[in-house]
Structure formats: structure tokens, C-alpha cells
Amino acid sequence: MPGAFEIASSVVTVGRLPEKADMVIPVATVSGVHARIKVKEGNLLVIDLDSTNGTFIDKKRLSPGVVAMVSPGNCLTFGTHL
């Protein structure tokens, strides 16, 4: 599936900079260090790290620093990249 990533550890940092992110998305609308994804007790959690262009679950923009749960079937977007 295009745009799909496998979460292989319990904490993954998402961003544009290879030296600072585990999951690198080399797109201008993705911040250097954009978001953090955690797997906790079988749940997928995401935190926006005060990114410039936002992190979205489906089309709802997350507030920076607030933990949000991603449900099966949700679309997670970083900046404008799906």
C-alpha cells in the first residue's frame, strides 16, 4: 500500500530529518521532527511535536503535545503527506 509504514518498535519519531527521525518522510510539509508514535497496551498513540503543518487523524488536526489514539481504519497524515 503506498504511504504505508510498519511500526516496528514501541516508540517511533516521524520527521523529515534522517538524523533525528526513525520514520523519515522527505517532504517539505513534514517538519524535521514532526510527531511521535507510540504503541502502548495494543493501542496506537500519536503526539504532534509542535509541527509547522500539523498532524491529522482523518481530517482532524491534533493539538501539539496532546496524545491522541489512532483507531483501526483511521488515516494518519503528517503535514500534507498521507
Side-chain angles (χ1 to χ4, degrees), residues 11 20 45:
V11 179
K20 295 187 178 183
L45 308 173

Side-chain angles (χ1 to χ4, degrees), residues 26-73:
V27 175
T29 58
V30 174
S31 294
V33 178
H34 195 100
R36 186 158 292 126
I37 298 172
K38 295 182 181 184
V39 178
K40 186 174 181 181
E41 299 174 3
N43 294 310
L44 189 67
L45 308 173
V46 65
I47 298 175
D48 180 85
L49 299 176
D50 202 21
S51 66
T52 301
N53 295 300
T55 301
F56 301 80
I57 296 177
D58 293 329
K59 293 185 180 180
K60 183 181 177 193
R61 187 173 183 153
L62 305 181
S63 297
V66 176
V67 177
M69 189 165 74
V70 182
S71 298

